[in-house]
């Protein structure tokens, strides 16, 4: 109960000082990175985030250097392939 109360007040404190994401990301027609504001790009970014979380858990479960290097390089490649704007 104490943990939930502390978490609630910390969240209120952070939200009172930081602006919302929608206030920060106001799309501009002259912006060359206009694709970052689309819904499809946010979905792709969420997939990449979940991919990195999953691969990080695998790296923690199997702490072997060759496995971590191969998995890190593969995850980097997949991240760039998913977020590629030519597709």
């Amino acid at each position: 109960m104490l943990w939930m109360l502390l978490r609630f007040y910390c969240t209120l404190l952070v939200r009172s000082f930081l602006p919302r994401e929608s206030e920060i990301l106001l799309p501009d027609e002259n912006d060359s990175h206009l694709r970052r504001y689309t819904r499809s790009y946010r979905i792709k970014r969420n997939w990449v985030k979940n991919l990195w979380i999953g691969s990080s858990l695998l790296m923690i479960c199997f702490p072997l250097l060759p496995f971590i290097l191969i998995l890190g390089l593969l995850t980097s490649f997949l991240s760039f392939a998913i977020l590629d704007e030519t597709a």
Side-chain angles (χ1 to χ4, degrees):
M1 179 75 174
L2 180 65
W3 176 253
M4 290 171 39
L5 204 62
L6 181 66
R7 188 173 169 192
F8 173 73
Y9 284 117
C10 286
T11 304
L12 282 180
L13 181 70
V14 168
R15 286 187 182 176
S16 65
F17 287 113
L18 296 177
R20 292 185 179 159
E21 185 178 350
S22 61
E23 295 173 355
I24 296 172
L25 301 175
L26 296 175
D28 184 19
E29 293 298 325
N30 297 328
D31 191 8
S32 63
H33 297 284
L34 194 60
R35 65 179 169 83
R36 292 187 301 155
Y37 307 114
T38 63
R39 183 177 183 272
S40 62
Y41 187 79
R42 277 189 244 138
I43 291 172
K44 288 179 183 180
R45 197 172 59 197
N46 195 20
W47 271 95
V48 169
K49 179 189 75 168
N50 292 335
L51 177 70
W52 275 102
I53 289 172
S55 66
S56 298
L57 289 175
L58 278 174
M59 290 178 194
I60 291 171
C61 289
F62 303 105
L64 303 170
L65 185 61
F67 180 75
I68 290 174
L69 289 176
I70 291 171
L71 189 62
L73 290 173
L74 180 66
T75 306
S76 297
F77 171 74
L78 286 176
S79 297
F80 287 124
I82 290 171
L83 293 176
D84 188 20
E85 61 185 28
T86 59

